[in-house]
Amino acid sequence: MLKERNIPVELVNYNDINLDSYFNSLKNKFIISANNFYIFKSKCIENNIIINYHNALISKHRGVNAHIWAIWDDDEYSGIVWHRVDNGIDTGEILIQKYIKIDNMSAKELLLAQHRAAIESFKELIDVEFEVKQLITNDKNGKLHKKKELPNNGILDLSWEQKKINRFLRSFDVGVFCDIEYPKVEVNGVFLEIESYEINSDVITLNFTNGERLNLKGLK
């Protein structure tokens, strides 16, 4: 999109450079961070303008796998933001924010909806040359999620009510978009990995990586 408007762009390949050395050497650059897990250091932040795409409403979730946590926490809405980067994690002032109603989305469906919203929002920012008249204050109160953290430590509890099981399964339904472990459930003293699932009105079917399946009936 930037190249279409004759704005010079340099793409950074993570595998070819030492990121700390590269970014700390930059001055007076405009850096766009999207789907990026690198944490910019203070020197780079002080010497450049950096904006970051985050796939959540920052008031709810900061950090990694925000789309997963939005579903697990039973949020009615998720969304996206483009925000300035400061020395915190997803704590900078917000340039633009969009809301997405979750309904019964899976994590992969929500992530795709977020990416579409992020692209459209980026177009809006280009149109105003990234000069937003009124920045949105970041309250910095959203939960900070780390990479190794997963809902209920990745364990499905069969004593939960149907709605909670539904949320758990949808939150782990990431497709090819995220590298997390399969969720597990204990059956007859053995933990089995849930590869896929089917949700119907009166039964939830769990398909395990070992080829077996479990039908959950009579859930509340």
Side-chain angles (χ1 to χ4, degrees), residues 13 27 35 42 69 90 110 113 121 133 166-168 216:
N13 190 323
K27 287 187 177 181
N35 288 350
S42 295
W69 290 101
D90 301 322
L110 176 56
S121 299
K133 292 182 179 179
N166 182 314
R167 290 203 321 272
F168 179 87
L216 306 178

Side-chain angles (χ1 to χ4, degrees), residues 105-146:
M105 286 184 182
S106 66
K108 63 188 176 190
E109 291 169 336
L110 176 56
L111 192 64
L112 285 172
Q114 289 170 327
H115 286 355
R116 288 192 290 268
I119 292 169
E120 292 303 315
S121 299
F122 191 73
K123 290 179 182 177
E124 293 181 39
L125 290 175
I126 294 175
D127 288 340
V128 297
E129 298 180 344
F130 300 94
E131 294 293 333
V132 178
K133 292 182 179 179
Q134 185 173 358
L135 296 173
I136 303 170
T137 301
N138 188 337
D139 62 19
K140 306 181 182 182
N141 291 325
K143 298 177 184 177
L144 177 59
H145 304 291
K146 298 181 180 179

Side-chain angles (χ1 to χ4, degrees), residues 148-193:
K148 293 183 179 180
E149 295 175 344
L150 293 171
N152 202 49
N153 296 315
I155 305 297
L156 171 62
D157 188 335
L158 294 178
S159 69
W160 290 338
E161 63 179 6
Q162 183 171 352
K163 289 183 178 179
K164 192 170 183 178
I165 292 176
N166 182 314
R167 290 203 321 272
F168 179 87
L169 293 172
R170 289 188 294 113
S171 71
F172 277 87
D173 189 359
V174 296
V176 300
F177 300 110
C178 185
D179 182 20
I180 63 172
E181 298 178 357
Y182 287 119
K184 299 177 179 66
V185 63
E186 185 176 3
V187 180
N188 297 325
V190 178
F191 281 96
L192 301 176
E193 293 182 327

